[in-house]
Amino acid sequence: MKSVHTSRQTQRGMAMVEALIASALLGLGLLGATRLTLHALHLLRQSAQQTQAQSLARQALDCVSALPTANPCPLQERIERAGVTYEVQLQANAAGAALTEWLVSVQWSDARGSDLRRLVWRTRVSALGSRLGVSSP
């Protein structure tokens, strides 16, 4: 009878060890899932900031393409959106007799201010009218 009692205690002890191992594995799995979720959120935030920078660069290029207008485009401005400050800079360089190359630069840093990001776009705009050389029938 004593061996049956010892066998039950051994089985209970093994069940406890199995439960501890299962709990440890579950904890590791949850820790991995949490890290993965946090990384995905970080990438989502970076993607949203990149999209916002592209939108600001597109607005600056639209302003340049609308020239000449009564209101010239600002060459440098700071814009805050969703808690992030973007610095937009426009620079013009002569690229020929009637051609101007525009450089649009957008800089921003993440919410902690630790990671400085930069987006640079270039385009060329003709000072001649878009209808130059086009004949009507």
Side-chain angles (χ1 to χ4, degrees):
M1 185 81 166
K2 190 174 185 179
S3 65
V4 172
H5 183 64
T6 306
S7 175
R8 284 187 185 163
Q9 284 182 342
T10 304
Q11 286 179 354
R12 284 186 193 156
M14 289 304 290
M16 182 63 88
V17 169
E18 289 174 356
L20 286 173
I21 291 173
S23 296
L25 289 176
L26 180 63
L28 286 174
L30 289 175
L31 181 65
T34 301
R35 284 190 55 130
L36 184 63
T37 301
L38 290 175
H39 186 66
L41 288 173
H42 176 71
L43 291 177
L44 180 67
R45 186 172 42 251
Q46 280 184 344
S47 176
Q49 290 173 357
Q50 180 79 18
T51 300
Q52 191 64 246
Q54 288 175 347
S55 173
L56 292 171
R58 172 57 54 201
Q59 288 175 6
L61 288 177
D62 287 346
C63 181
V64 167
S65 66
L67 288 177
T69 61
N71 298 327
C73 303
L75 295 180
Q76 185 171 1
E77 63 181 327
R78 295 177 72 92
I79 300 170
E80 185 170 336
R81 297 216 176 135
V84 178
T85 302
Y86 297 88
E87 186 174 326
V88 181
Q89 295 178 341
L90 277 172
Q91 181 182 0
N93 300 316
L99 199 59
T100 304
E101 181 181 64
W102 285 93
L103 176 72
V104 179
S105 172
V106 182
Q107 280 188 315
W108 72 98
S109 60
D110 63 359
R112 294 170 285 162
S114 61
D115 186 24
L116 184 64
R117 310 277 315 242
R118 186 172 186 189
L119 172 77
V120 178
W121 282 0
R122 297 173 193 263
T123 189
R124 292 185 175 180
V125 177
S126 173
L128 303 174
S130 60
R131 296 178 184 243
L132 186 66
V134 177
S135 60
S136 51

